[in-house]
Amino acid sequence: MPPGRLLLEVVAGNALGTEIEVEDDFLIGREASADGKLADDIEISRHHARITRAPDGDYTIEDLSSTNGTFVNGKQIDAPQRLADGDRVEVGGTTLVVHAPAKAPQATAARAIQAPIPPLSLRIDVDLAGRQATLALDDSSDEVRLEYADGGWRIAR
């Protein structure tokens, strides 16, 4: 199967054993082009269902007000529904198994626009005689003062 294309495997009906590649749009019906007729399945409507590729690359199926309905995994659909790998689609006397293309990993928007992390400097000034220390990140940050008391270092209040 070419990358990015949906493959429909006919597992029941007149077109049993047929594999149909769907690129962007596929009409199922008696008045459809060759593969869409499903080997002249008399139980499908003239314009039974349509499979289309969404902008995100996923495929959806919608019933086109057919007489006998369109079923996905045994449930009749009444609105466009996304197709997933392994879904079973029933139209007329034909059952198709969906083989969805693998999706390429996509960088998240945050990763795609993330600026490089600037270097970080840490300044520590320790006055052991005075039992205190100050910490600062870069030259523009507020200092944190520590003091040594009762056997440990604590943030000075």
Side-chain angles (χ1 to χ4, degrees):
M1 170 173 60
R5 291 188 184 167
L6 185 78
L7 182 69
L8 301 172
E9 177 186 2
V10 181
V11 296
N14 293 351
L16 178 66
T18 304
E19 291 185 343
I20 303 166
E21 286 182 16
V22 178
E23 190 166 345
D24 291 318
D25 188 71
F26 180 65
L27 177 66
I28 298 170
R30 290 193 320 266
E31 291 185 358
S33 63
D35 287 337
K37 292 181 181 192
L38 301 175
D40 297 318
D41 181 343
I42 61 170
E43 294 181 38
I44 60 175
S45 297
R46 287 187 308 248
H47 295 191
H48 195 103
R50 179 180 305 280
I51 296 174
T52 55
R53 185 191 324 228
D56 64 4
D58 284 346
Y59 285 85
T60 59
I61 186 168
E62 66 178 310
D63 184 77
L64 301 176
S65 300
S66 66
T67 303
N68 295 322
T70 300
F71 297 78
V72 176
N73 299 324
K75 295 182 181 174
Q76 187 168 5
I77 62 170
D78 57 5
Q81 180 173 328
R82 294 218 183 245
L83 292 171
D85 193 54
D87 280 349
R88 294 178 71 84
V89 175
E90 297 170 50
V91 288
T94 302
T95 302
L96 308 139
V97 174
V98 174
H99 298 284
K103 293 189 97 170
Q106 296 178 348
T108 62
R111 256 191 258 150
I113 61 172
Q114 185 178 42
I117 298 173
L120 174 70
S121 63
L122 172 65
R123 188 183 84 240
I124 304 174
D125 297 318
V126 180
D127 176 6
L128 293 177
R131 298 178 154 236
Q132 63 181 4
T134 56
L135 304 172
L137 299 175
D138 303 309
D139 290 331
S140 62
S141 72
D142 293 335
E143 290 184 348
V144 175
R145 195 168 64 80
L146 304 174
E147 59 186 11
Y148 186 81
D150 301 323
W153 289 96
R154 292 178 180 76
I155 296 175
R157 305 265 179 216

